[in-house]
Amino acid sequence: MSMFERIDYRDGDTPLVAQHLRPEGSARAAVAVFPTFMNSTPGVEDKAQALADAGYAVLIADFYGPDAPSSFEQAFEAMGRLRADPRAMRTRLGATLKLLRELHPGLPQLAIGFCLGGMAVLELARDGHELEAVVSFHGLLATPLPARDSIRPRILVCHGDADSLVPRSQVTDFWEEMDGVGANWHFHSYSGVEHGFTNQRMLDGSPNPAYNSSADRQSWAAMHSLFDEILD
């Protein structure tokens, strides 16, 4: 098992702290992992470890810096501040990709995200970043800055059809947005599955009622299948 390495970086004047994992051998590719609105959690760190075990170099992003939340209430407030300025948010997200490229120059660059992080990777694709693929797990789909130009990365969205944060109108709006710029996208929707379906436990260690083992397994396998197709 790899050990997390703390790496300090910045978005302008805001200090940030990433968590970095290296695989045991040569890295197959470099993956930026954008966490939930709670920032990095044990569930996200487990996913990052699974990627490192599969041969990827991994960097878990920091959304907030010194404003990192310690409760759901603080997290909603911090997320609100981050999302209040969409262009500044994209700059914050881009700082993680810049660090990933500095750490692993020459490797294929990928990004995945959960919840707020799922929205984040879609924003990076919309913003024109040179990634090979982005994968959103129960991410938010709506954006104040829809894509206007062609999108480089391939896109996989893994979505719970019963996600109360993403009504079906936003799903079809997203499809039309992606088609409008000729994006290469896959959309996997799991019936009856709620928001947060990849996370087995709440922060207090209690079971997460939204966790769905089938959707978790299928979405993770779909991610690996896409990565294999791109990298092999």
Side-chain angles (χ1 to χ4, degrees):
M1 178 179 291
S2 306
M3 296 295 293
F4 283 100
E5 171 193 10
R6 171 189 169 123
I7 299 185
D8 294 295
Y9 67 119
R10 303 188 73 85
D11 168 26
D13 295 331
T14 303
L16 302 166
V17 178
Q19 297 183 71
H20 184 225
L21 282 175
R22 297 180 185 271
E24 298 234 342
S26 298
R28 188 181 189 201
V31 184
V33 176
F34 290 86
T36 74
F37 79 107
M38 288 297 300
N39 234 15
S40 190
T41 62
V44 170
E45 290 162 14
D46 287 346
K47 296 294 190 185
Q49 183 65 62
L51 281 168
D53 292 344
Y56 295 93
V58 184
L59 191 70
I60 303 179
D62 180 359
F63 282 130
Y64 306 120
D67 291 334
S70 59
S71 69
F72 279 100
E73 293 76 15
Q74 291 177 4
F76 276 113
E77 292 175 2
M79 179 174 63
R81 290 192 296 271
L82 182 68
R83 296 181 62 190
D85 186 337
R87 296 193 184 279
M89 178 179 174
R90 287 185 175 183
T91 300
R92 174 70 49 85
L93 305 177
T96 297
L97 294 188
K98 180 175 182 291
L99 176 61
L100 187 71
R101 291 190 179 97
E102 290 171 354
L103 291 169
H104 301 285
L107 282 181
Q109 308 284 302
L110 309 162
I112 72 170
F114 305 87
C115 180
L116 176 62
M119 184 193 80
V121 300
L122 297 177
E123 288 299 293
L124 289 168
R126 290 169 169 128
D127 203 29
H129 284 274
E130 295 291 313
L131 294 159
E132 298 301 320
V134 300
V135 182
S136 169
F137 297 92
H138 44 84
L140 309 180
L141 302 178
T143 179
L145 300 170
R148 301 298 183 199
D149 300 311
S150 61
I151 286 178
R152 160 70 186 274
R154 293 185 62 176
I155 293 172
L156 170 63
V157 174
C158 298
H159 169 70
D161 188 55
D163 190 332
S164 61
L165 300 180
V166 184
R168 283 189 177 178
S169 60
Q170 291 185 10
V171 170
T172 54
D173 286 348
F174 175 78
W175 295 348
E176 291 173 3
E177 178 195 358
M178 293 298 103
D179 283 346
V181 293
N184 186 332
W185 59 275
H186 292 188
F187 195 101
H188 295 193
S189 188
Y190 308 105
S191 66
V193 173
E194 300 176 11
H195 185 77
F197 62 81
T198 64
N199 192 18
Q200 296 189 43
R201 299 203 169 271
M202 308 295 282
L203 286 178
D204 62 5
S206 62
N208 175 16
Y211 177 68
N212 186 286
S213 60
S214 177
D216 185 20
R217 286 193 304 271
Q218 291 186 58
S219 60
W220 198 246
M223 176 200 74
H224 277 297
S225 178
L226 176 62
F227 288 176
D228 287 345
E229 184 174 311
I230 291 169
L231 299 172
D232 286 348

